[in-house]
Amino acid sequence: MGDFDNVNGAVLLSDINMENVKRGRGNFTNNPADNFKIKTPTLYNKIDNGFYERRGTFTSVKDVISYKNQGTPQKTEVPVQNLASQFGPLNLTEEEMDNLTYFIENGLRDAELSRYVPASINSGNCFPNNDNMSRADLGCD
C-alpha cells in the first residue's frame, strides 16, 4: 500500500498529482478545451448518496440547487471559456428551489431499487473497487 496524504480532508495517495486531477477530462485527453470538464452524474436516487458534487463539497440536494441558482463558480482557476454555457444565475425563487429539491429527492427516487452486486468479479478484485483501504473497510480481505 502506498503512502497517503490528507489534502483538505480527503485522503489521497501521496504520488497523486492533484493539478492533473483538477483538470478533469483534460487530464486524459491533454486537450486544454477539456480542462475542468467532468462527467455529469445521474440524478436518479441521488438522495441516497449523502454527498454531492465532484468532491463531495455539498451535503444536501438543496445546497447544490442553491449553489447552481447563484451561478458563481467554486474555483476561480477555471477559465470562463471552460464553464458550460448554461452555467450562470438561474434566478429561482425559494419556493422553486424547494420544489426542485423535493422532486429530485422524491420524484427521482425508487425506494425499491435493488442494485446488482456480483458475488465476485473476473479480476478477483473486491467489488465495487480495488482500493486497499476500501477493501479493508468493506471486509473484502
Side-chain angles (χ1 to χ4, degrees), residues 8 14 23 42 51 73 99 111 126 134-135 138:
N8 295 327
S14 297
R23 288 179 39 217
T42 181
F51 57 90
N99 289 341
C126 179
S134 294
R135 289 176 60 86
L138 294 169

Side-chain angles (χ1 to χ4, degrees), residues 4-129:
F4 293 93
D5 290 329
N6 187 313
V7 179
N8 295 327
V11 178
L12 303 171
L13 287 171
S14 297
D15 60 354
I16 296 294
N17 182 334
M18 280 308 293
E19 292 308 309
N20 283 342
V21 172
K22 287 183 201 176
R23 288 179 39 217
R25 183 174 172 78
N27 184 41
F28 299 98
T29 66
N30 289 316
N31 178 350
D34 289 339
N35 284 350
F36 306 104
K37 293 184 179 177
I38 59 167
K39 179 183 174 192
T40 303
T42 181
L43 294 176
Y44 189 70
N45 278 17
K46 189 70 175 162
I47 190 69
D48 293 344
N49 290 347
F51 57 90
Y52 310 93
E53 289 297 298
R54 182 169 177 221
R55 291 174 301 234
T57 309
F58 301 101
T59 57
S60 75
V61 172
K62 178 72 182 271
D63 288 345
V64 176
I65 292 170
S66 295
Y67 161 69
K68 299 288 185 184
N69 191 46
Q70 292 170 8
T72 305
Q74 282 184 303
K75 297 289 183 182
T76 55
E77 73 260 20
V78 178
V80 173
Q81 66 268 20
N82 288 72
L83 294 173
S85 60
Q86 302 86 350
F87 187 79
L90 299 175
N91 301 313
L92 298 174
T93 66
E94 194 66 33
E95 181 179 9
E96 289 170 325
M97 289 192 297
D98 288 342
N99 289 341
L100 187 53
T101 300
Y102 183 86
F103 175 70
I104 291 171
E105 291 180 349
N106 299 285
L108 295 179
R109 182 165 191 278
D110 180 356
E112 301 301 316
L113 178 69
S114 176
R115 298 194 188 274
Y116 172 71
V117 178
S120 64
I121 55 178
N122 291 338
S123 68
N125 294 331
C126 179
F127 185 84
N129 63 55

